[in-house]
Amino acid sequence: MPDAAVAARSSETTHSASTQVDVAVVGAGFAGLYLLHKLRKTGFSAVAIEEANDVGGTWYWNRYPGARCDIQTIDYSYTFDPELEKAWQWSEKYATQPEILRYLGFVADRYDLRRDIRFGEKVTGATWDQAAERWQLATDKGATISCRYYIMATGCLSAPKPPEIDGVKNFKGDIYFTGRWPHGEVKLAGKRIAVIGTGSSGIQSIPLLAEQASQLTVFQRTPNFALPAHNGPPPADRRALLEGDRAAYREQARWSLAGVPYPQQTAVSWQLTDAERRERFEQAWAAGDLIHILTQLWADQGVDVDGNNLLSDLIREKIREAVKDPATAEALSPHDHPFGAKRPCLDTNYYATYNRPNVTLVNLRQEPITQITATGITTDKRHFDVDVIVFATGFDAMTGAIKAVHPITGRDGQSINDVWANGPQTYLGLTVAGFPNLFLITGPGSPSVLSNMAVSIEQHVDWVVDRLAALREAGFTTMEATEAAQAGWARHMADCATMTLHRLANTWYTGANVPGKAQGVMPYTGGVGPYRSICNEVVGRGMLGFKLSGPGVAAQCNDGEVVRLQPDVRIVLGMLEQMNLPQIESLGAFGARDFLTEFNKGRPMGRPVGEVGSGALQGADGPLPYRLYRPATPGPHPIVVYFHGGGWVLGDEQSDDPFCRDLCRRSGMIVVSVGYRHAPEHRFPAAAEDGYAATRWIAEHAADLGGKQGPLLVAGWSAGANIAAVTCQLARDRGGPPIAGQLLVCPVTDCRFDRQSYADNAVGYFLTRALMFWFWDLYCSPADRTDPRASPLRGELKNLPPAFVATCEFDPLRDEGIAYAEAMAAAGVPVEQLQARGHIHSSLVMVDVVVTGVSARVKMAEALRGFAGLPKKLDAESASPIEVNAAAG
Ligand code: N01
């Protein structure tokens, strides 16, 4: 059958007024088609209800001029059947809408799916019947459908958003919506056309509309980043990769960040020279590939404002090169959002279109539309007579098609609209507590629109249908997410979102494009591969977070949160597990030091500071090395004496280099990292006495070091925080030096191992209980351990400098850190506590690896500034309060 004929045929299936099926699916787009196929193959009876008159979903409706996919088509394809892959060849790198629609028609025919699709029919209501444990659906054709499982394959961008402009009804010319473009011929030649909206739909259609129009006026509210698609045949390099090993290519896509097989970038922007960055950028620009430019330039482009700005600047430069009129170029240049935080676009001649004499850009930020009249569009400055208005104004994304299309009433009569009144609540973006047996394909809370939809759809369909088959096998008939699992997912979603820059933009990802819609990042930002592993983990842990029930079987519920770690910490631990590292304590002290030196070579270099120097200072029993980090700002600066971690056995003055740089940059202070003596060569109290002696020496030499005279600050991590705490006690008891404040990060404070955190976090979070035992054994004999110089919690705590104590949830040392903070507070010391949820012992010092530690690092630096009497210096990143803050005293 010729391809063109395939999509043109609609279903001739007839259906009775009342249907009983195992599964009802709404939608016959990419997701609905694969669902039908897979359900059938798995032995479920299924029906799909589709409002349109044919298959295609989004590709049925979005047929405006220039509509194409913007993920390379070889990636934007089904992969579930290798035979299907062989049977279809794409003609272009980015296929046009008609070709994609033909493809979906081809798939429908190949698997004979149309016979189970009810076209031109809409569900008007769906109600959970608790007694029957079935969903009862009503349709606009007066039919009813009873199904055990109800699956929304309604797409994320399928409910067009009203234009929210007064007077649309008065317009006497033609009105078109890109998302509901007519199927018949649209005559535009020689007409005066207005386009409202410059998202992907506007940017794709504007160049083609300009070719036909006598005059095209583009009404732009927010400029968007677009890069050239460089369309043509599928690129040889990508095809070669695919055809070289199709299975491996597809598998790599499934475990990638965005659903397209690109490697993970590790180099961060400041590790690259200007020339290197430009070279990477020019390559990306030439590649014409959104996923390439979004993921392949430098690792911090999507998570760090500075790293992102470097890229945004380069794109704005391209816009200035392409657009001749500087004022128009400036108006087209986005400044209000980081690149990637709002969906960027792929274009063909978009910017150059503004060089045409028949194209005008109206900047609605300077002259907002006041109304649409019979003859055209009026702004607060002028009126434009037009014949045609094209609304490219977007969609009520992600929730629109689920919430607005028909009422969904779950258990106990609750409606999904009420449950989602403050934003969508889901477990895994797939299910909703209170709505048994309801599934959302690529729903809010899943990677969906931040990924290659084809990959995400297949993953969801496979997961859902495999679960239904497993339920059937076990005799269960209902499956419902628990409230606890759903709340945990919301927390994990929020944690993921704080890692990205999406929170800094008002977009349809966050609901900001629809007036009155609840705001929050709706798609899952943690990446396709991590998400897949979480879905698998839910299954592996006995359907964690789901209640399962059925006649004749005992109900089952393994309640809990699937991810309690911060998302990047989870990834780091996963990588460490894969590396199968030896147990540090098994290497002996010297072996462990060599191992750590090697291990640290792979860590990202710290950010530049004004100056890094080194020297020797006087310790308790001879010279000790130090490393000094000086801010780029003019001095003299207050000095922070820093003690590194490593259990009194490992590490040196350089081993916490990235953290020291970070403290220096954020606090604006000199950080002097001290190389104190280590066990087992120098056991207790060598390290403690060195810490105190070093602090005295630094106080005496503050001016020589370029620092400010006056009280010092002390800081440390882990065993280094133990030394910092001890130093404060010794300085109080031995007549100085004056210390203005102490920053203790995951401190060792006591020799007791029976606190709950030692049991909860004994293994699995890098610092283990066994490793702590080993450190203690090497450092300090049991008889000495209660000495306050080893266990500062056992010392006198009155009159200590004010403290900031940071502890991490999944750290054996958590509870002794909290105990020390509480004991100091009880003794009248001003203490601020930060209990970092979802973090492990080393999270907070893993600068640029554990991005979710940023807000904690900001707070620590602010605390140091506060101790030194400096004003606050909050930066943009601190707007991400991921930690639980508990002020104690
Ligand atoms: O919609 P959008 P879209 N007055 O929301 C403006 C996918 N897609 O259909 O940004 C004036 O992005 C609005 O302005 P602002 C893709 O994921 C993919 O273009 O809200 N202007 C914005 O400029 C994409 O992101 C392809 O200030 C108003 C525009 O209208 C998503 O679909 C192709 C307005 C809407 O942009 C949505 O894209 C097309 C008003 N009252 C779409 N209301 C592919 O290539 C809205 N705007 C695969």
Side-chain angles (χ1 to χ4, degrees), residues 31 152 155-156 398 429-430 440-444 446 448-449 453 456-457 460:
M152 303 297 283
C156 299
M398 308 215 67
L430 269 162
L440 318 172
I441 301 300
T442 60
S446 73
S448 59
V449 290
M453 286 296 279
S456 288
I457 284 170
H460 265 191

Side-chain angles (χ1 to χ4, degrees), residues 64 68 161 163 197-201 204 221-222 342-343 394 508:
Y64 57 83
R68 291 174 184 275
K161 176 184 88 85
T198 50
S200 300
S201 306
Q204 283 186 336
R221 190 162 66 184
T222 311
K342 192 175 176 114
R343 175 67 145 70
W508 61 256

Side-chain angles (χ1 to χ4, degrees), residues 708-726:
K708 215 167 162 172
Q709 302 273 14
L712 297 173
L713 303 130
V714 296
W717 166 57
S718 192
N722 168 278
I723 296 170
V726 169

